[in-house]
Amino acid sequence: MREAIAVAQESLASNDVPVGALVIDPSGKIIATGTNEREAKSDPTAHAEIVAMRKAATNGWRLDNHTLVVTLEPCAMCAGAIAQSRFKRLVFGSFDEKGGAAGSIWDLIRDARALTQIEVVSGVLADDCALVLSDFFASKR
């Protein structure tokens, strides 16, 4: 998670909300990173998770046995993409009380009707992850 926080902090110079995402392969190697690029690319789907997944899926869309680490709880769009990509595990830091879809508002990832069963580890370094976001929004006010 500390690496994901570092990725988020690197994106602070942009106008995008600083969220960091990592895709980790079964051996524990980080194979892709992503940050929000919605503003930079004028793309509403360019969330950090989606950016990282696109980079990781160069050899195929199935990310079985991979782990996605992200500093903020995924939204419904990202939760759907995570499920469709067949991740083994999702690890996230801060809960998103306004749009979270992995336990806060919805729990699309662990819904019993979901396509695959994905392990979810939540709240990892949550305060550190939230601080990056709160600092960003404070600078915008």
Side-chain angles (χ1 to χ4, degrees), residues 53 61 78-87 108-109 114-116 118:
M53 284 188 270
W61 62 269
C78 292
I82 292 163
Q84 290 296 320
S85 300
R86 313 293 201 275
F87 276 93
L108 299 177
I109 299 287
L115 180 63
T116 57
I118 300 168

Side-chain angles (χ1 to χ4, degrees), residues 5 15 19 23 29 35-36 39 41-42 48 54 59 63 70 73 77 87 90 106 108-109 119-123 141:
I5 292 169
N15 285 327
V19 175
V23 176
K29 179 182 175 192
T35 60
N36 279 338
E39 299 295 332
K41 294 190 174 177
S42 295
R54 286 178 178 152
N59 292 322
L63 295 169
V70 62
E73 178 183 4
M77 174 185 69
F87 276 93
L90 166 66
W106 306 284
L108 299 177
I109 299 287
E119 176 188 356
V120 177
V121 180
S122 58
R141 292 185 189 117

Side-chain angles (χ1 to χ4, degrees), residues 21-84:
L22 313 171
V23 176
I24 301 172
D25 74 10
S27 74
K29 179 182 175 192
I30 297 171
I31 61 167
T33 65
T35 60
N36 279 338
E37 297 179 359
R38 291 184 310 170
E39 299 295 332
K41 294 190 174 177
S42 295
D43 179 354
T45 68
H47 289 202
E49 301 94 313
I50 302 292
V51 171
M53 284 188 270
R54 286 178 178 152
K55 290 177 183 177
T58 57
N59 292 322
W61 62 269
R62 294 182 73 105
L63 295 169
D64 307 76
N65 299 315
H66 287 65
T67 297
L68 179 68
V69 177
V70 62
T71 57
L72 181 65
E73 178 183 4
C75 69
M77 174 185 69
C78 292
I82 292 163
Q84 290 296 320

